[in-house]
Amino acid sequence: MNHKYIPHTEQDIKKMLDTIGVSSIDDLFREVPSEIKLKRDYNFTNSLSELEVTKRLQDLASKNKSSDDLTCFIGAGAYDHYIPSVIHHITNRSEFYTAYTPYQPEVAQGTLQYIFEYQTMISNLTGMDVSNASMYDGATSTAEAMMMAVAKRRKNKVLVSKTIHPNTLSVLKTYAKYQGVEIKMIETKDGITSRDDLEDKIDNTIAGVIVQNPNFYGRIEDVESYVDLIHEHKSLLIMNVNPISLPVLKTPGEIGADIVCGDAQPLGIPLSFGGPYIGFLATTNSLMRKMPGRICGETTDIEGKRAFVLTLQAREQHIRREKANSNICSNQSLNALAVTVYLSTLGNQGTREVALQNIKKSHYAFKKISALNGFEAVYDGPFFNEFVIKSDYDYNTIKNTLYEKGIISGLHLGDYDNSLKNHILFCVTEKRTAKEIDHLVDVLGGLAHA
Amino acid sequence: MKVLENLYYTENHEWVRVEESKAYVGISDYAQHSLGEIVFVELPEEDDELNAGDVLGVVESVKAASDLFVPISGTVLEVNEHLEDQPELLNEDPYQNFIAVIEISDESELDELMNSKTYTEFCDE
């Protein structure tokens, strides 16, 4: 085969093969089944100049349409929020951007300080006593929360509400499978967790109950009405929450949650085609020692100056080792910085304003869409920035029509649940203008004439 | 190193003091010495039902974190909550500060434990 773009000469290749003692390149790939090997030449016709290559790659890349090119009405775990430009300028500073996870913590005081600030803000936002320094993403933090409950209660069963995001659930199941944890699902009623089913299933063998709020269907769960039931059975309440909703909802701490987890992507992290995101994890003082990852603490140095240190991390990572509750010993540091800058830029008033705008704009869209012929609201009751609409039209028709008009449709719930065919989960954030929402409504309304 | 008479001991350096059907469980002077400065004690919960050899809790010092094992099967009647705020009590007087009280379910298990003499020899080895 002729490898036009590989710079090695025949002699180079022969020398390398001789050195490792094989006769041909094909020998190197003998383990790869022949049916999955490429048996033709690469599809490169002519050699191109640098300028031509750049142009061609740019053309290919521009086929990707992002939320910058289209108007986005999809959420379901990854949200198109406004990101103040200051965040990018700070996170792109080389002293932050290039710094690696501080394994020699004391030399990275700047990193430790922002982690400390991050923890403080997450604790305030969730109403919990302590936060760790962040985790890989929201699904990871939820799975780690499950393992915390299992370790604390020394029981291997957990209940998970069916209103949780299916992707989070599949990560939970993966962890559970390999850690010997049994997951039982709590049924849904009208798009929220069924209290009756929770009552039936909870008993003293359950380590924890996992509920998402606002849930996968955008609905706000009445967690407060069953927190006592969970605690009466010595079980722990784990709440997976959308952090941007917290300034206007009762905090998980006020509700009585034992562990709070979720993805902090809405707090200043771009969609970026799905990642990297950042998980947050917060808990009570009594569960602090079961928390994975690391906590940054404040202290004074020998001269009495304010200084920062990594604290609990040492125990899990270096002392407990095989007994450790989790093998995570790092955090999503640069994104934690972005979250810290986001929260400090907006402040209490700004985050509250963002949350209120999400509510107002999504409710405006909800009223208009559910009033259209061929579209109806599925649930009645409080929601944050997402809602489910059932349509008489085929989802693909809706999606394609919207796309032609420069709009990204909501998520098709039928892809996750056969009984929810042509049910669409729309998301409206503070970024959407009244004009954009009206445009969406017009295009949907026009389907009747299409 | 202090070893009290009339207590039972385990190879993991826990002690047991029997009062009627109750077993007071703590860590020995030898254990607190080897661990060094104790900074955290994780206690079991009342009403936990444990079998001999199950993990009773964790004692964490500046040097290490060690599991505590329950020497005798039974139900946890009481835990020493003072240790949550003052873990150093275990360094100051390990025999006065029990970790948990267990309602003994099978007294014959006590025969498996060491007396003070055997334990002293065990620590000397």
Side-chain angles (χ1 to χ4, degrees):
Chain A
M1 212 182 284
N2 187 8
H3 302 284
K4 289 193 186 86
Y5 292 89
I6 294 175
H8 304 113
T9 62
E10 289 296 329
Q11 289 84 343
D12 291 338
I13 292 168
K14 189 175 180 312
K15 199 172 171 192
M16 286 190 278
L17 291 173
D18 286 348
T19 305
I20 57 174
V22 286
S23 53
S24 72
I25 288 180
D26 286 340
D27 274 358
L28 290 176
F29 297 100
R30 208 165 39 202
E31 298 302 319
V32 180
S34 69
E35 61 268 26
I36 63 168
K37 281 187 193 164
L38 184 70
K39 291 185 201 68
R40 53 167 174 78
D41 203 353
Y42 292 113
N43 191 15
F44 293 146
T45 43
N46 301 308
S47 54
L48 300 174
S49 68
E50 182 180 310
L51 195 63
E52 286 167 320
V53 170
T54 308
K55 176 79 173 68
R56 172 141 167 74
L57 292 179
Q58 274 169 350
D59 286 348
L60 287 171
S62 69
K63 287 187 177 175
N64 287 323
K65 295 290 176 214
S66 77
S67 57
D68 292 334
D69 311 297
L70 303 161
T71 313
C72 179
F73 286 99
I74 192 167
Y79 299 93
D80 182 31
H81 288 292
Y82 173 65
I83 300 172
S85 70
V86 62
I87 294 175
H88 181 74
H89 290 292
I90 292 177
T91 54
N92 265 27
R93 286 186 63 96
S94 62
E95 56 269 51
F96 291 130
Y97 197 74
T98 60
Y100 190 51
T101 303
Y103 286 114
Q104 294 171 314
E106 55 287 348
V107 300
Q109 283 293 303
T111 304
L112 294 182
Q113 180 170 356
Y114 76 66
I115 292 175
F116 182 81
E117 309 281 356
Y118 163 87
Q119 291 166 183
T120 307
M121 290 179 197
I122 293 293
S123 298
N124 287 342
L125 200 60
T126 55
M128 303 303 284
D129 299 326
V130 283
S131 154
N132 74 4
S134 76
M135 315 215 70
Y136 181 60
D137 62 13
T140 309
S141 70
T142 311
E144 291 287 344
M146 171 177 78
M147 296 316 299
M148 282 172 70
V150 166
K152 177 67 179 179
R153 300 300 315 134
R154 297 189 205 168
K155 286 165 185 156
N156 69 340
K157 265 190 236 168
V158 292
L159 296 180
V160 180
S161 170
K162 276 194 176 172
T163 66
I164 197 169
H165 195 298
N167 296 355
T168 310
L169 179 62
S170 69
V171 172
L172 283 176
K173 283 182 171 167
T174 305
Y175 266 68
K177 183 177 171 186
Y178 295 102
Q179 304 278 353
V181 176
E182 187 186 333
I183 291 180
K184 277 181 159 178
M185 302 305 292
I186 314 166
E187 291 301 322
T188 310
K189 188 165 184 284
D190 300 328
I192 57 169
T193 307
S194 159
R195 195 202 145 95
D196 290 345
D197 198 48
L198 172 63
E199 265 177 41
D200 283 351
K201 286 176 180 157
I202 189 133
D203 58 35
N204 291 359
T205 66
I206 305 295
V209 177
I210 306 178
V211 182
Q212 182 181 327
N213 190 51
N215 68 29
F216 181 55
Y217 306 105
R219 300 209 50 194
I220 294 172
E221 297 262 358
D222 187 9
V223 185
E224 206 168 4
S225 71
Y226 48 80
V227 59
D228 290 341
L229 177 69
I230 293 169
H231 286 155
E232 273 161 29
H233 290 87
K234 288 191 154 191
S235 183
L236 300 176
L237 168 62
I238 299 168
M239 283 180 76
N240 173 305
V241 295
N242 179 344
I244 216 146
S245 71
L246 294 177
V248 291
L249 297 180
K250 223 174 191 184
T251 66
E254 287 171 304
I255 288 171
D258 299 286
I259 310 173
V260 184
C261 51
D263 205 304
Q265 180 272 330
L267 307 175
I269 312 295
L271 284 165
S272 309
F273 299 98
Y277 290 169
I278 168 176
F280 60 93
L281 188 62
T283 189
T284 58
N285 279 330
S286 69
L287 279 157
M288 174 173 65
R289 301 229 168 206
K290 295 288 178 203
M291 191 152 62
R294 44 178 53 185
I295 291 184
C296 181
E298 186 188 29
T299 184
T300 47
D301 66 11
I302 51 168
E303 290 163 3
K305 288 189 217 143
R306 189 182 188 219
F308 299 92
V309 287
L310 280 188
T311 57
L312 288 178
Q313 165 250 8
R315 171 176 184 258
E316 287 290 350
Q317 195 184 342
H318 308 300
I319 298 179
R320 292 284 279 169
R321 288 192 191 148
E322 77 289 348
K323 294 256 172 80
N325 193 21
S326 162
N327 62 9
I328 287 183
C329 53
S330 183
N331 69 302
Q332 198 77 332
S333 209
L334 192 67
N335 278 352
L337 173 64
V339 169
T340 309
V341 180
Y342 179 88
L343 289 173
S344 48
T345 304
L346 271 76
N348 282 343
Q349 210 182 331
T351 49
R352 197 178 149 75
E353 174 66 24
V354 170
L356 288 173
Q357 283 209 24
N358 274 262
I359 293 174
K360 282 181 191 156
K361 291 181 171 179
S362 59
H363 284 69
Y364 173 77
F366 172 75
K367 275 191 201 108
K368 288 215 146 186
I369 298 172
S370 51
L372 291 172
N373 280 331
F375 293 89
E376 62 172 304
V378 175
Y379 305 119
D380 180 27
F383 64 90
F384 180 63
N385 63 1
E386 289 175 284
F387 52 88
V388 182
I389 293 286
K390 183 185 168 190
S391 176
D392 295 342
Y393 306 105
D394 175 61
Y395 174 75
N396 284 324
T397 310
I398 297 170
K399 184 184 79 175
N400 295 336
T401 310
L402 289 175
Y403 188 77
E404 282 165 23
K405 304 285 181 187
I407 298 170
I408 302 173
S409 169
L411 183 81
H412 183 214
L413 294 178
D415 290 346
Y416 295 88
D417 181 345
N418 278 335
S419 69
L420 298 178
K421 207 156 177 284
N422 302 330
H423 284 56
I424 306 169
L425 179 69
F426 284 103
C427 174
V428 184
T429 68
E430 77 286 354
K431 258 177 94 172
R432 299 290 72 84
T433 61
K435 202 174 149 193
E436 286 171 340
I437 298 168
D438 290 344
H439 184 215
L440 167 74
V441 174
D442 283 346
V443 177
L444 291 176
L447 281 165
H449 314 291
Chain B
M1 187 192 73
K2 215 159 102 182
V3 177
L4 296 194
E5 284 177 22
N6 303 322
L7 298 184
Y8 295 95
Y9 294 90
T10 70
E11 292 185 359
N12 297 310
H13 306 285
E14 290 102 3
W15 56 258
V16 180
R17 186 174 77 235
V18 178
E19 288 182 12
E20 291 168 1
S21 64
K22 295 181 196 166
Y24 286 76
V25 179
I27 62 165
S28 72
D29 193 41
Y30 181 93
Q32 71 83 14
H33 247 292
S34 354
L35 286 165
E37 194 184 327
I38 292 169
V39 293
F40 176 67
V41 182
E42 185 188 308
L43 300 166
E45 300 237 352
E46 283 174 22
D47 299 335
D48 278 355
E49 282 176 30
L50 301 167
N51 291 318
D54 283 356
V55 173
L56 182 70
V58 179
V59 176
E60 186 182 328
S61 72
V62 290
K63 286 196 277 188
S66 310
D67 283 334
L68 283 172
F69 299 95
V70 59
I72 188 153
S73 307
T75 309
V76 177
L77 292 175
E78 192 186 337
V79 296
N80 185 357
E81 283 168 3
H82 297 301
L83 295 175
E84 283 181 345
D85 298 325
Q86 292 173 279
E88 66 277 11
L89 289 174
L90 289 182
N91 290 119
E92 288 164 16
D93 193 339
Y95 295 111
Q96 271 305 308
N97 293 287
F98 67 90
I99 286 164
V101 185
I102 313 281
E103 175 77 45
I104 301 174
S105 62
D106 180 3
E107 278 194 27
S108 70
E109 286 177 358
L110 292 169
D111 300 339
E112 307 287 317
L113 304 175
M114 288 182 266
N115 61 27
S116 58
K117 188 165 167 280
T118 330
Y119 180 63
T120 310
E121 286 163 15
F122 175 76
C123 292
D124 286 342
E125 275 172 20

